[in-house]
Amino acid sequence: MSNWITEKIDAALLDAKNRLAAATAETEVEQLKISILGRNGLFPALSKEMKNLPSEERRAAGVAFNNGRQRLQEMIESALSLLRSSTSVDQTKTIDLTLPGRRPKVGRKHPVTQVRDDAIAIFRRMGFVVAKGPEIETVHHNFDALNTPEDHPSRDRGDTFYFADGRLLRTQTSPVQIRIMENQQPPIRIVAPGRCYRRDTPDATHSMNFHQIEGLYINKNVSLADLKSVLQAFARELMNVDIRLRPHFFPFTEPSVEYDFSCVMCRGKGCPVCKHSGWLEIAGAGMVDPNVLQNVGYDPEIWSGYAFGIGIERLAMIRYRINDIRLLYENDVRFLEQF
Ligand code: DAH
């Protein structure tokens, strides 16, 4: 039998059901629970009202009251447990097992490292041994022993990084020649790859920090023809190009030459890459100056030799058609991935 109490209970159940379905936080549910079942809530109030009912209605109302209260408690408990479980596992971010996996990025050698390693492999096959020297050098090894005049512009503070103690960041790999010769007797056949530093303003072809491969061969009766044959073999092996030697000057060699590759783009016909000359400058080289031999205590009447210094960035730029040296140092993965 229905009366106003059972109607109120039914309405409260319906209202609670809707509010619980919409609840997004446990506190909302707790508040609802207090407003209905709490000491000043709806149910205690109804309980008092029931005493005023006629006795024939009181029994039915009591049953509805008890059932309603129990039903509400159940609804509240299940709403709370749902909210608790959904905060520990975010339902919107469950794992989609059908998604393809993420590929790990595969690393590779930097283009400068690749060319360096290839160049060294070629020289090793020709009998050269890899040598090393420090990047922080003395003026003696970097300049004096290499027969560099006191007033040579490369010694300038504007061109070379000096430390307060007078040492410097090597401007070339040539000082490795001196270190090896000071500590070993001929015959010597080494290549020395490494970093060099100069106070240059960075642009498309200059960097304050770059790499060279130094070569040195000392023996009896070494001639310019020996140098030329090694440089020729190197060019053929590395890029399958012809070479040209041009007269030049270096303090530590006499005679000195500059060493060119025939242009890899146009094969010597002339194009913008070689500035229409057909040739690309690769290295300096020459016969070791007798003064240098003397500086390390070798007798120039007995020993002779050749040396060369190759720019590694230059080789990398030609091989991979890179037109700005700075790209090699920015380490943009999109650039490096191409090699
Ligand atoms: N050290 C020279 C430079 O940095 C390059 C060079 C030229 C090295 C002639 C040599 C050489 O060994 O013989 O410009």
Side-chain angles (χ1 to χ4, degrees):
M1 203 170 75
S2 107
N3 54 53
W4 65 271
I5 287 197
T6 53
E7 276 165 22
K8 272 206 161 168
I9 290 170
D10 286 344
L13 278 172
L14 187 66
D15 180 53
K17 194 179 164 199
N18 290 335
R19 284 165 64 187
L20 287 172
T24 55
E26 286 178 44
T27 48
E28 286 177 60
V29 178
E30 296 293 355
Q31 265 159 19
L32 180 72
K33 184 177 177 181
I34 291 164
S35 74
I36 299 175
L37 302 175
R39 199 140 55 88
N40 300 316
L42 176 67
F43 271 64
L46 287 177
S47 161
K48 277 181 209 140
E49 301 271 6
M50 265 195 299
K51 296 188 181 101
N52 304 328
L53 283 177
S55 59
E56 65 274 18
E57 287 180 17
R58 211 182 292 156
R59 168 176 285 273
V63 173
F65 181 90
N66 287 331
N67 287 345
R69 191 170 53 186
Q70 196 180 347
R71 180 82 195 100
L72 262 170
Q73 270 160 351
E74 286 166 7
M75 280 160 56
I76 284 166
E77 277 318 308
S78 78
L80 279 176
S81 74
L82 189 72
L83 284 172
R84 281 182 197 128
S85 69
S86 64
T87 46
S88 58
V89 178
D90 184 0
Q91 303 286 344
T92 63
K93 288 191 186 141
T94 44
I95 299 161
D96 181 354
L97 294 174
T98 67
L99 280 176
R102 282 195 197 112
R103 276 179 193 283
K105 291 227 178 213
V106 177
R108 64 194 77 205
K109 282 188 194 169
H110 190 280
V112 167
T113 309
Q114 286 184 36
V115 179
R116 182 201 66 190
D117 289 355
D118 290 352
I120 285 170
I122 293 167
F123 286 119
R124 285 172 68 113
R125 284 202 292 279
M126 294 195 266
F128 288 83
V129 173
V130 176
K132 265 170 96 175
E135 289 174 26
I136 297 174
E137 263 298 4
T138 63
V139 171
H140 166 74
H141 291 94
N142 197 83
F143 291 125
D144 296 342
L146 285 164
N147 199 37
T148 313
E150 282 299 329
D151 58 354
H152 196 276
S154 65
R155 292 184 183 245
D156 199 279
R157 303 209 153 254
D159 288 337
T160 298
F161 293 106
Y162 285 92
F163 292 95
D165 65 4
R167 291 185 300 166
L168 48 77
L169 287 174
R170 69 179 177 195
T171 60
Q172 50 192 1
T173 43
S174 304
V176 185
Q177 292 185 32
I178 303 300
R179 289 189 175 268
I180 295 292
M181 290 192 284
E182 280 177 345
N183 290 300
Q184 262 170 257
Q185 287 307 303
I188 286 171
R189 183 154 47 188
I190 56 117
V191 280
R195 266 178 205 280
C196 307
Y197 304 82
R198 284 182 203 175
R199 290 186 75 156
D200 282 330
T201 306
D203 64 22
T205 55
H206 293 87
S207 168
M208 286 186 277
N209 174 213
F210 57 96
H211 299 76
Q212 290 184 335
I213 299 179
E214 193 77 11
L216 176 70
Y217 178 54
I218 305 284
N219 210 332
K220 290 178 178 154
N221 303 315
V222 182
S223 75
L224 192 66
D226 297 325
L227 171 62
K228 190 173 179 184
S229 70
V230 164
L231 295 179
Q232 181 117 39
F234 175 70
R236 284 242 178 280
E237 286 260 336
L238 189 74
M239 315 241 314
N240 194 25
V241 288
D242 290 328
I243 68 156
R244 172 174 85 165
L245 301 183
R246 280 180 292 117
H248 202 75
F249 175 81
F250 295 105
F252 29 89
T253 44
E254 183 59 36
S256 302
V257 296
E258 274 201 315
Y259 165 48
D260 298 343
F261 279 7
S262 62
C263 180
V264 287
M265 294 298 283
C266 64
R267 301 259 149 204
K269 284 189 211 74
C271 71
V273 170
C274 59
K275 298 198 184 83
H276 302 283
S277 71
W279 299 93
L280 299 164
E281 211 179 291
I282 300 297
M287 303 308 292
V288 179
D289 194 291
N291 288 341
V292 172
L293 296 174
Q294 233 147 23
N295 288 342
V296 296
Y298 290 0
D299 183 350
E301 297 298 327
I302 302 171
W303 303 109
S304 52
Y306 61 71
F308 54 84
I310 302 174
I312 305 182
E313 279 78 1
R314 183 94 182 119
L315 283 182
M317 289 169 75
I318 290 168
R319 184 197 241 188
Y320 299 116
R321 318 275 199 266
I322 298 164
N323 59 12
D324 192 321
I325 195 170
R326 290 167 291 195
L327 289 166
L328 293 169
Y329 300 111
E330 279 162 7
N331 286 334
D332 184 329
V333 175
R334 293 165 301 177
F335 170 76
L336 294 175
E337 267 173 355
Q338 301 172 60
F339 307 102

PDB file of all heavy atoms in Angstrom, residues 8-41:
ATOM      1  N   LYS A   8       8.158   9.059  -0.804  1.00  0.00           N
ATOM      2  CA  LYS A   8       9.392   9.822  -0.566  1.00  0.00           C
ATOM      3  C   LYS A   8      10.610   8.921  -0.683  1.00  0.00           C
ATOM      4  O   LYS A   8      11.660   9.316  -1.208  1.00  0.00           O
ATOM      5  CB  LYS A   8       9.368  10.466   0.828  1.00  0.00           C
ATOM      6  CG  LYS A   8       8.723  11.815   0.822  1.00  0.00           C
ATOM      7  CD  LYS A   8       9.256  12.640   1.975  1.00  0.00           C
ATOM      8  CE  LYS A   8       8.970  14.112   1.690  1.00  0.00           C
ATOM      9  NZ  LYS A   8       9.197  14.961   2.852  1.00  0.00           N
ATOM     10  N   ILE A   9      10.468   7.691  -0.182  1.00  0.00           N
ATOM     11  CA  ILE A   9      11.591   6.760  -0.251  1.00  0.00           C
ATOM     12  C   ILE A   9      11.899   6.401  -1.704  1.00  0.00           C
ATOM     13  O   ILE A   9      13.072   6.429  -2.131  1.00  0.00           O
ATOM     14  CB  ILE A   9      11.319   5.502   0.589  1.00  0.00           C
ATOM     15  CG1 ILE A   9      11.365   5.883   2.082  1.00  0.00           C
ATOM     16  CG2 ILE A   9      12.353   4.411   0.304  1.00  0.00           C
ATOM     17  CD1 ILE A   9      10.887   4.779   3.006  1.00  0.00           C
ATOM     18  N   ASP A  10      10.873   6.116  -2.484  1.00  0.00           N
ATOM     19  CA  ASP A  10      11.081   5.788  -3.901  1.00  0.00           C
ATOM     20  C   ASP A  10      11.758   6.959  -4.634  1.00  0.00           C
ATOM     21  O   ASP A  10      12.694   6.768  -5.417  1.00  0.00           O
ATOM     22  CB  ASP A  10       9.740   5.470  -4.580  1.00  0.00           C
ATOM     23  CG  ASP A  10       9.226   4.100  -4.162  1.00  0.00           C
ATOM     24  OD1 ASP A  10      10.051   3.316  -3.618  1.00  0.00           O
ATOM     25  OD2 ASP A  10       8.036   3.821  -4.365  1.00  0.00           O
ATOM     26  N   ALA A  11      11.272   8.186  -4.337  1.00  0.00           N
ATOM     27  CA  ALA A  11      11.863   9.358  -5.007  1.00  0.00           C
ATOM     28  C   ALA A  11      13.327   9.527  -4.610  1.00  0.00           C
ATOM     29  O   ALA A  11      14.188   9.821  -5.450  1.00  0.00           O
ATOM     30  CB  ALA A  11      11.073  10.623  -4.653  1.00  0.00           C
ATOM     31  N   ALA A  12      13.604   9.285  -3.297  1.00  0.00           N
ATOM     32  CA  ALA A  12      14.993   9.423  -2.834  1.00  0.00           C
ATOM     33  C   ALA A  12      15.892   8.392  -3.498  1.00  0.00           C
ATOM     34  O   ALA A  12      17.039   8.683  -3.879  1.00  0.00           O
ATOM     35  CB  ALA A  12      15.042   9.280  -1.316  1.00  0.00           C
ATOM     36  N   LEU A  13      15.378   7.165  -3.672  1.00  0.00           N
ATOM     37  CA  LEU A  13      16.158   6.113  -4.335  1.00  0.00           C
ATOM     38  C   LEU A  13      16.476   6.486  -5.776  1.00  0.00           C
ATOM     39  O   LEU A  13      17.603   6.332  -6.249  1.00  0.00           O
ATOM     40  CB  LEU A  13      15.394   4.787  -4.292  1.00  0.00           C
ATOM     41  CG  LEU A  13      15.502   3.975  -2.988  1.00  0.00           C
ATOM     42  CD1 LEU A  13      14.538   2.792  -3.028  1.00  0.00           C
ATOM     43  CD2 LEU A  13      16.917   3.494  -2.765  1.00  0.00           C
ATOM     44  N   LEU A  14      15.469   6.990  -6.473  1.00  0.00           N
ATOM     45  CA  LEU A  14      15.655   7.355  -7.878  1.00  0.00           C
ATOM     46  C   LEU A  14      16.679   8.498  -8.016  1.00  0.00           C
ATOM     47  O   LEU A  14      17.602   8.456  -8.828  1.00  0.00           O
ATOM     48  CB  LEU A  14      14.300   7.776  -8.475  1.00  0.00           C
ATOM     49  CG  LEU A  14      14.306   8.023  -9.983  1.00  0.00           C
ATOM     50  CD1 LEU A  14      14.578   6.714 -10.728  1.00  0.00           C
ATOM     51  CD2 LEU A  14      12.982   8.638 -10.447  1.00  0.00           C
ATOM     52  N   ASP A  15      16.505   9.497  -7.142  1.00  0.00           N
ATOM     53  CA  ASP A  15      17.421  10.643  -7.157  1.00  0.00           C
ATOM     54  C   ASP A  15      18.855  10.182  -6.863  1.00  0.00           C
ATOM     55  O   ASP A  15      19.805  10.560  -7.553  1.00  0.00           O
ATOM     56  CB  ASP A  15      16.954  11.659  -6.107  1.00  0.00           C
ATOM     57  CG  ASP A  15      17.862  12.876  -6.064  1.00  0.00           C
ATOM     58  OD1 ASP A  15      18.092  13.480  -7.141  1.00  0.00           O
ATOM     59  OD2 ASP A  15      18.381  13.216  -4.966  1.00  0.00           O
ATOM     60  N   ALA A  16      19.007   9.312  -5.839  1.00  0.00           N
ATOM     61  CA  ALA A  16      20.335   8.823  -5.472  1.00  0.00           C
ATOM     62  C   ALA A  16      20.947   8.033  -6.620  1.00  0.00           C
ATOM     63  O   ALA A  16      22.134   8.155  -6.924  1.00  0.00           O
ATOM     64  CB  ALA A  16      20.241   7.965  -4.213  1.00  0.00           C
ATOM     65  N   LYS A  17      20.125   7.246  -7.287  1.00  0.00           N
ATOM     66  CA  LYS A  17      20.627   6.437  -8.395  1.00  0.00           C
ATOM     67  C   LYS A  17      21.237   7.328  -9.484  1.00  0.00           C
ATOM     68  O   LYS A  17      22.347   7.093  -9.966  1.00  0.00           O
ATOM     69  CB  LYS A  17      19.474   5.606  -8.978  1.00  0.00           C
ATOM     70  CG  LYS A  17      19.912   4.493  -9.891  1.00  0.00           C
ATOM     71  CD  LYS A  17      18.690   3.738 -10.385  1.00  0.00           C
ATOM     72  CE  LYS A  17      19.074   2.895 -11.599  1.00  0.00           C
ATOM     73  NZ  LYS A  17      17.900   2.523 -12.374  1.00  0.00           N
ATOM     74  N   ASN A  18      20.504   8.403  -9.849  1.00  0.00           N
ATOM     75  CA  ASN A  18      20.996   9.308 -10.880  1.00  0.00           C
ATOM     76  C   ASN A  18      22.274  10.022 -10.436  1.00  0.00           C
ATOM     77  O   ASN A  18      23.237  10.156 -11.202  1.00  0.00           O
ATOM     78  CB  ASN A  18      19.933  10.368 -11.223  1.00  0.00           C
ATOM     79  CG  ASN A  18      18.761   9.728 -11.959  1.00  0.00           C
ATOM     80  OD1 ASN A  18      18.929   8.678 -12.604  1.00  0.00           O
ATOM     81  ND2 ASN A  18      17.577  10.322 -11.838  1.00  0.00           N
ATOM     82  N   ARG A  19      22.260  10.487  -9.197  1.00  0.00           N
ATOM     83  CA  ARG A  19      23.428  11.237  -8.723  1.00  0.00           C
ATOM     84  C   ARG A  19      24.650  10.341  -8.592  1.00  0.00           C
ATOM     85  O   ARG A  19      25.781  10.771  -8.865  1.00  0.00           O
ATOM     86  CB  ARG A  19      23.110  11.939  -7.405  1.00  0.00           C
ATOM     87  CG  ARG A  19      22.242  13.193  -7.663  1.00  0.00           C
ATOM     88  CD  ARG A  19      21.603  13.735  -6.426  1.00  0.00           C
ATOM     89  NE  ARG A  19      22.586  14.218  -5.449  1.00  0.00           N
ATOM     90  CZ  ARG A  19      22.244  14.627  -4.218  1.00  0.00           C
ATOM     91  NH1 ARG A  19      20.983  14.597  -3.829  1.00  0.00           N
ATOM     92  NH2 ARG A  19      23.176  15.060  -3.396  1.00  0.00           N
ATOM     93  N   LEU A  20      24.445   9.093  -8.199  1.00  0.00           N
ATOM     94  CA  LEU A  20      25.579   8.171  -8.082  1.00  0.00           C
ATOM     95  C   LEU A  20      26.156   7.844  -9.461  1.00  0.00           C
ATOM     96  O   LEU A  20      27.374   7.743  -9.636  1.00  0.00           O
ATOM     97  CB  LEU A  20      25.160   6.882  -7.371  1.00  0.00           C
ATOM     98  CG  LEU A  20      24.926   7.025  -5.862  1.00  0.00           C
ATOM     99  CD1 LEU A  20      24.338   5.740  -5.291  1.00  0.00           C
ATOM    100  CD2 LEU A  20      26.230   7.389  -5.156  1.00  0.00           C
ATOM    101  N   ALA A  21      25.282   7.714 -10.445  1.00  0.00           N
ATOM    102  CA  ALA A  21      25.757   7.396 -11.796  1.00  0.00           C
ATOM    103  C   ALA A  21      26.607   8.540 -12.343  1.00  0.00           C
ATOM    104  O   ALA A  21      27.556   8.332 -13.103  1.00  0.00           O
ATOM    105  CB  ALA A  21      24.581   7.118 -12.714  1.00  0.00           C
ATOM    106  N   ALA A  22      26.242   9.787 -11.937  1.00  0.00           N
ATOM    107  CA  ALA A  22      26.967  10.943 -12.466  1.00  0.00           C
ATOM    108  C   ALA A  22      28.218  11.275 -11.654  1.00  0.00           C
ATOM    109  O   ALA A  22      29.048  12.074 -12.095  1.00  0.00           O
ATOM    110  CB  ALA A  22      26.041  12.158 -12.512  1.00  0.00           C
ATOM    111  N   ALA A  23      28.340  10.662 -10.460  1.00  0.00           N
ATOM    112  CA  ALA A  23      29.451  11.039  -9.565  1.00  0.00           C
ATOM    113  C   ALA A  23      30.798  10.676 -10.175  1.00  0.00           C
ATOM    114  O   ALA A  23      30.973   9.611 -10.767  1.00  0.00           O
ATOM    115  CB  ALA A  23      29.284  10.356  -8.210  1.00  0.00           C
ATOM    116  N   THR A  24      31.783  11.612 -10.052  1.00  0.00           N
ATOM    117  CA  THR A  24      33.125  11.335 -10.581  1.00  0.00           C
ATOM    118  C   THR A  24      34.149  11.261  -9.464  1.00  0.00           C
ATOM    119  O   THR A  24      35.302  10.946  -9.713  1.00  0.00           O
ATOM    120  CB  THR A  24      33.545  12.433 -11.585  1.00  0.00           C
ATOM    121  OG1 THR A  24      33.432  13.706 -10.938  1.00  0.00           O
ATOM    122  CG2 THR A  24      32.690  12.396 -12.835  1.00  0.00           C
ATOM    123  N   ALA A  25      33.746  11.612  -8.230  1.00  0.00           N
ATOM    124  CA  ALA A  25      34.722  11.565  -7.131  1.00  0.00           C
ATOM    125  C   ALA A  25      34.089  10.946  -5.896  1.00  0.00           C
ATOM    126  O   ALA A  25      32.865  11.040  -5.698  1.00  0.00           O
ATOM    127  CB  ALA A  25      35.214  12.971  -6.814  1.00  0.00           C
ATOM    128  N   GLU A  26      34.901  10.311  -5.074  1.00  0.00           N
ATOM    129  CA  GLU A  26      34.401   9.656  -3.858  1.00  0.00           C
ATOM    130  C   GLU A  26      33.742  10.655  -2.918  1.00  0.00           C
ATOM    131  O   GLU A  26      32.755  10.327  -2.247  1.00  0.00           O
ATOM    132  CB  GLU A  26      35.560   8.974  -3.111  1.00  0.00           C
ATOM    133  CG  GLU A  26      36.033   7.712  -3.805  1.00  0.00           C
ATOM    134  CD  GLU A  26      37.214   7.083  -3.071  1.00  0.00           C
ATOM    135  OE1 GLU A  26      37.154   7.015  -1.827  1.00  0.00           O
ATOM    136  OE2 GLU A  26      38.165   6.685  -3.753  1.00  0.00           O
ATOM    137  N   THR A  27      34.242  11.907  -2.879  1.00  0.00           N
ATOM    138  CA  THR A  27      33.670  12.902  -1.965  1.00  0.00           C
ATOM    139  C   THR A  27      32.217  13.202  -2.309  1.00  0.00           C
ATOM    140  O   THR A  27      31.390  13.425  -1.415  1.00  0.00           O
ATOM    141  CB  THR A  27      34.474  14.222  -2.013  1.00  0.00           C
ATOM    142  OG1 THR A  27      34.665  14.592  -3.376  1.00  0.00           O
ATOM    143  CG2 THR A  27      35.820  14.061  -1.342  1.00  0.00           C
ATOM    144  N   GLU A  28      31.874  13.191  -3.591  1.00  0.00           N
ATOM    145  CA  GLU A  28      30.476  13.425  -3.995  1.00  0.00           C
ATOM    146  C   GLU A  28      29.568  12.347  -3.405  1.00  0.00           C
ATOM    147  O   GLU A  28      28.453  12.619  -2.944  1.00  0.00           O
ATOM    148  CB  GLU A  28      30.342  13.389  -5.523  1.00  0.00           C
ATOM    149  CG  GLU A  28      30.886  14.616  -6.228  1.00  0.00           C
ATOM    150  CD  GLU A  28      30.787  14.451  -7.743  1.00  0.00           C
ATOM    151  OE1 GLU A  28      29.663  14.284  -8.246  1.00  0.00           O
ATOM    152  OE2 GLU A  28      31.856  14.457  -8.407  1.00  0.00           O
ATOM    153  N   VAL A  29      30.045  11.104  -3.436  1.00  0.00           N
ATOM    154  CA  VAL A  29      29.255   9.988  -2.926  1.00  0.00           C
ATOM    155  C   VAL A  29      29.095  10.098  -1.405  1.00  0.00           C
ATOM    156  O   VAL A  29      28.005   9.892  -0.858  1.00  0.00           O
ATOM    157  CB  VAL A  29      29.894   8.644  -3.314  1.00  0.00           C
ATOM    158  CG1 VAL A  29      29.091   7.472  -2.746  1.00  0.00           C
ATOM    159  CG2 VAL A  29      30.013   8.529  -4.829  1.00  0.00           C
ATOM    160  N   GLU A  30      30.213  10.490  -0.748  1.00  0.00           N
ATOM    161  CA  GLU A  30      30.165  10.635   0.713  1.00  0.00           C
ATOM    162  C   GLU A  30      29.140  11.706   1.110  1.00  0.00           C
ATOM    163  O   GLU A  30      28.391  11.544   2.062  1.00  0.00           O
ATOM    164  CB  GLU A  30      31.550  11.038   1.257  1.00  0.00           C
ATOM    165  CG  GLU A  30      32.648  10.007   1.053  1.00  0.00           C
ATOM    166  CD  GLU A  30      32.446   8.718   1.868  1.00  0.00           C
ATOM    167  OE1 GLU A  30      31.501   8.638   2.678  1.00  0.00           O
ATOM    168  OE2 GLU A  30      33.254   7.782   1.663  1.00  0.00           O
ATOM    169  N   GLN A  31      29.103  12.797   0.352  1.00  0.00           N
ATOM    170  CA  GLN A  31      28.148  13.877   0.658  1.00  0.00           C
ATOM    171  C   GLN A  31      26.709  13.422   0.483  1.00  0.00           C
ATOM    172  O   GLN A  31      25.826  13.724   1.302  1.00  0.00           O
ATOM    173  CB  GLN A  31      28.413  15.074  -0.251  1.00  0.00           C
ATOM    174  CG  GLN A  31      29.325  16.094   0.420  1.00  0.00           C
ATOM    175  CD  GLN A  31      29.998  17.007  -0.577  1.00  0.00           C
ATOM    176  OE1 GLN A  31      29.545  17.115  -1.707  1.00  0.00           O
ATOM    177  NE2 GLN A  31      31.073  17.640  -0.126  1.00  0.00           N
ATOM    178  N   LEU A  32      26.507  12.662  -0.592  1.00  0.00           N
ATOM    179  CA  LEU A  32      25.157  12.130  -0.843  1.00  0.00           C
ATOM    180  C   LEU A  32      24.725  11.218   0.315  1.00  0.00           C
ATOM    181  O   LEU A  32      23.596  11.306   0.823  1.00  0.00           O
ATOM    182  CB  LEU A  32      25.165  11.343  -2.155  1.00  0.00           C
ATOM    183  CG  LEU A  32      23.828  10.722  -2.562  1.00  0.00           C
ATOM    184  CD1 LEU A  32      22.846  11.804  -3.018  1.00  0.00           C
ATOM    185  CD2 LEU A  32      24.021   9.690  -3.661  1.00  0.00           C
ATOM    186  N   LYS A  33      25.654  10.387   0.756  1.00  0.00           N
ATOM    187  CA  LYS A  33      25.383   9.451   1.855  1.00  0.00           C
ATOM    188  C   LYS A  33      24.969  10.206   3.131  1.00  0.00           C
ATOM    189  O   LYS A  33      23.987   9.878   3.795  1.00  0.00           O
ATOM    190  CB  LYS A  33      26.643   8.625   2.112  1.00  0.00           C
ATOM    191  CG  LYS A  33      26.485   7.548   3.170  1.00  0.00           C
ATOM    192  CD  LYS A  33      27.790   6.768   3.266  1.00  0.00           C
ATOM    193  CE  LYS A  33      27.711   5.721   4.379  1.00  0.00           C
ATOM    194  NZ  LYS A  33      28.983   4.976   4.479  1.00  0.00           N
ATOM    195  N   ILE A  34      25.710  11.295   3.404  1.00  0.00           N
ATOM    196  CA  ILE A  34      25.393  12.086   4.603  1.00  0.00           C
ATOM    197  C   ILE A  34      24.016  12.740   4.480  1.00  0.00           C
ATOM    198  O   ILE A  34      23.204  12.722   5.408  1.00  0.00           O
ATOM    199  CB  ILE A  34      26.474  13.157   4.856  1.00  0.00           C
ATOM    200  CG1 ILE A  34      27.778  12.471   5.289  1.00  0.00           C
ATOM    201  CG2 ILE A  34      26.024  14.168   5.902  1.00  0.00           C
ATOM    202  CD1 ILE A  34      29.003  13.347   5.209  1.00  0.00           C
ATOM    203  N   SER A  35      23.705  13.261   3.298  1.00  0.00           N
ATOM    204  CA  SER A  35      22.433  13.977   3.130  1.00  0.00           C
ATOM    205  C   SER A  35      21.226  13.045   3.234  1.00  0.00           C
ATOM    206  O   SER A  35      20.120  13.485   3.543  1.00  0.00           O
ATOM    207  CB  SER A  35      22.422  14.738   1.801  1.00  0.00           C
ATOM    208  OG  SER A  35      22.262  13.828   0.725  1.00  0.00           O
ATOM    209  N   ILE A  36      21.441  11.750   2.992  1.00  0.00           N
ATOM    210  CA  ILE A  36      20.307  10.818   3.055  1.00  0.00           C
ATOM    211  C   ILE A  36      20.290  10.013   4.358  1.00  0.00           C
ATOM    212  O   ILE A  36      19.273   9.934   5.049  1.00  0.00           O
ATOM    213  CB  ILE A  36      20.309   9.856   1.858  1.00  0.00           C
ATOM    214  CG1 ILE A  36      20.189  10.654   0.551  1.00  0.00           C
ATOM    215  CG2 ILE A  36      19.137   8.866   1.968  1.00  0.00           C
ATOM    216  CD1 ILE A  36      20.305   9.802  -0.691  1.00  0.00           C
ATOM    217  N   LEU A  37      21.462   9.454   4.701  1.00  0.00           N
ATOM    218  CA  LEU A  37      21.493   8.536   5.843  1.00  0.00           C
ATOM    219  C   LEU A  37      22.059   9.171   7.111  1.00  0.00           C
ATOM    220  O   LEU A  37      21.951   8.596   8.195  1.00  0.00           O
ATOM    221  CB  LEU A  37      22.317   7.286   5.494  1.00  0.00           C
ATOM    222  CG  LEU A  37      21.837   6.486   4.272  1.00  0.00           C
ATOM    223  CD1 LEU A  37      22.815   5.353   3.956  1.00  0.00           C
ATOM    224  CD2 LEU A  37      20.431   5.929   4.513  1.00  0.00           C
ATOM    225  N   GLY A  38      22.722  10.353   6.947  1.00  0.00           N
ATOM    226  CA  GLY A  38      23.380  10.994   8.085  1.00  0.00           C
ATOM    227  C   GLY A  38      22.382  11.423   9.163  1.00  0.00           C
ATOM    228  O   GLY A  38      21.161  11.401   8.945  1.00  0.00           O
ATOM    229  N   ARG A  39      22.900  11.875  10.312  1.00  0.00           N
ATOM    230  CA  ARG A  39      22.061  12.191  11.470  1.00  0.00           C
ATOM    231  C   ARG A  39      20.966  13.213  11.150  1.00  0.00           C
ATOM    232  O   ARG A  39      19.825  13.064  11.592  1.00  0.00           O
ATOM    233  CB  ARG A  39      22.942  12.719  12.608  1.00  0.00           C
ATOM    234  CG  ARG A  39      22.303  12.647  13.958  1.00  0.00           C
ATOM    235  CD  ARG A  39      23.303  12.209  15.021  1.00  0.00           C
ATOM    236  NE  ARG A  39      24.500  13.075  15.033  1.00  0.00           N
ATOM    237  CZ  ARG A  39      24.578  14.199  15.753  1.00  0.00           C
ATOM    238  NH1 ARG A  39      23.580  14.590  16.511  1.00  0.00           N
ATOM    239  NH2 ARG A  39      25.689  14.905  15.722  1.00  0.00           N
ATOM    240  N   ASN A  40      21.275  14.223  10.353  1.00  0.00           N
ATOM    241  CA  ASN A  40      20.259  15.212   9.965  1.00  0.00           C
ATOM    242  C   ASN A  40      19.731  14.950   8.556  1.00  0.00           C
ATOM    243  O   ASN A  40      19.184  15.839   7.913  1.00  0.00           O
ATOM    244  CB  ASN A  40      20.837  16.623  10.037  1.00  0.00           C
ATOM    245  CG  ASN A  40      21.296  16.944  11.451  1.00  0.00           C
ATOM    246  OD1 ASN A  40      20.580  16.645  12.418  1.00  0.00           O
ATOM    247  ND2 ASN A  40      22.494  17.499  11.570  1.00  0.00           N
ATOM    248  N   GLY A  41      19.909  13.734   8.079  1.00  0.00           N
ATOM    249  CA  GLY A  41      19.527  13.407   6.717  1.00  0.00           C
ATOM    250  C   GLY A  41      18.069  12.993   6.588  1.00  0.00           C
ATOM    251  O   GLY A  41      17.292  13.031   7.554  1.00  0.00           O
TER     252      GLY A  41
END
